[in-house]
Amino acid sequence: MRYLLRLVVYLSLFFVTYSVCSVLLLRAVPVTVTPLKVLRFFENFTQYGFSVHSNWVPFDRINPSVVQAVIATEDNNFATHNGFDWEAINQALDENREGKRLRGGSTISQQTAKNVFCFPSRTWLRKGFEAYYTVLIECCWSKRRIMETYLNVIETGRNMYGVEAPAREVYGKSAKELNRYEASMIATVLPNPLRMRLQNPSNYMVRRAARVRTLMNMVGEVDLGR
C-alpha cells in the first residue's frame, strides 16, 4: 500500500510538472499539433490522405472582425472573466434542465484548453482536465495569447483548422484581409464545422451570419492588450 501511494504521488508530481512546463512552452511556441487534429487525421485519411489545411498566423495578422465575431458568438465576457463564465454556465444548466435544446457554457479559454491539451470526449474526466488546463492558461498566458491560439486551432471544416485556412481555401485571401461578412460566416460554422460548409453556405448559415454581425456591433471594438 505504501508503494502504491508513493507511485500515485510520483505520477501526480510528474503530471503537474509536465503540464505546467508544456503550458509555459506554448505561451510562445505556435501550436501546430493538437489531439483533435491527430484524431481527425486518422478518421479522414482514406478520403483526404495527408491533406490537412492549417496555417498558424500571429494575432496581428488576423482581422479584428474575426475576434469580434467569435467573442460575439462564443464568449461575450472573454476579456473580463477568469476562464469560467459562471453566469453562462448557470444559464445553460437551467435551459438543459427545462428540456430546451442542449447547449454548453464553455468559454473561449475552456475551448482552447480542450483543443490544445485534451482528447475530444464527453466524459467528466476530460472536463476535469479541461478545467485544470483552463486555470493554467489563464494564469500563464495573456488573453491575447489565448485568443491567438484559439483562432489558430479551432476546427473550421473537414481537415481544416484555424481561421487562416478557410480564409485562403474558401475566400482566396489571408486572415488579415477578411471582411465582416466572411468573419461572421466563419464564426457561424464553429458550433458544427463538419456539417456546416463555408464552401456551400445554407440559408440558415446566411441568416445566422447576419445575426452574428448584429451581435458584433453590440460587442464593439475589442482590446486584448499585448
Side-chain angles (χ1 to χ4, degrees):
M1 191 66 182
R2 185 171 53 192
Y3 292 116
L4 180 60
L5 180 60
R6 186 178 300 173
L7 176 63
V8 171
V9 171
Y10 287 157
L11 289 175
S12 299
L13 288 174
F14 171 79
F15 172 72
V16 171
T17 302
Y18 168 79
S19 59
V20 171
C21 289
S22 62
V23 167
L24 290 175
L25 177 66
L26 294 178
R27 183 170 60 179
V29 176
V31 181
T32 56
V33 178
T34 66
L36 180 61
K37 278 187 185 180
V38 174
L39 179 64
R40 293 283 192 253
F41 175 80
F42 287 106
E43 285 180 350
N44 301 325
F45 182 77
T46 55
Q47 183 176 1
Y48 295 99
F50 292 98
S51 176
V52 177
H53 303 287
S54 178
N55 306 91
W56 178 279
V57 289
F59 186 85
D60 289 335
R61 287 171 52 191
I62 299 174
N63 195 286
S65 62
V66 181
V67 178
Q68 247 187 353
V70 297
I71 287 180
T73 57
E74 300 291 309
D75 187 358
N76 289 333
N77 299 316
F78 173 72
T80 56
H81 65 59
N82 62 355
F84 304 92
D85 189 339
W86 299 111
E87 181 179 347
I89 292 173
N90 289 331
Q91 183 178 353
L93 290 173
D94 290 340
E95 291 184 9
N96 295 344
R97 275 195 296 266
E98 292 171 3
K100 297 181 180 178
R101 182 176 61 87
L102 292 179
R103 55 168 287 185
S106 293
T107 63
I108 285 175
S109 299
Q110 289 175 272
Q111 294 180 53
T112 303
K114 177 185 68 176
N115 287 333
V116 175
F117 300 104
C118 306
F119 271 97
S121 67
R122 293 181 177 275
T123 64
W124 286 108
L125 180 62
R126 194 271 295 166
K127 292 296 289 183
F129 281 118
E130 175 190 308
Y132 170 74
Y133 276 107
T134 298
V135 172
L136 279 186
I137 65 174
E138 280 283 340
C139 290
C140 299
W141 296 1
S142 66
K143 287 289 187 179
R144 183 186 177 94
R145 177 60 176 177
I146 294 173
M147 178 61 75
E148 178 183 57
T149 304
Y150 173 78
L151 292 177
N152 277 284
V153 302
I154 48 173
E155 191 173 24
T156 47
R158 294 189 180 274
N159 276 24
M160 189 180 293
Y161 304 91
V163 297
E164 179 75 3
R168 292 186 178 277
E169 298 295 325
V170 180
Y171 299 116
K173 58 179 69 174
S174 70
K176 182 69 174 178
E177 300 169 308
L178 289 169
N179 58 39
R180 284 171 55 84
Y181 171 81
E182 293 156 350
S184 67
M185 289 299 295
I186 291 175
T188 294
V189 306
L190 294 185
N192 197 337
L194 301 184
R195 185 174 180 179
M196 292 187 279
R197 308 292 298 275
L198 286 169
Q199 297 88 336
N200 185 26
S202 64
N203 291 334
Y204 166 79
M205 290 174 60
V206 173
R207 292 194 302 271
R208 174 60 181 163
R211 172 60 178 162
V212 170
R213 292 192 293 278
T214 300
L215 295 174
M216 289 166 65
N217 294 333
M218 296 170 63
V219 169
E221 185 177 348
V222 178
D223 182 11
L224 299 180
R226 299 300 302 177

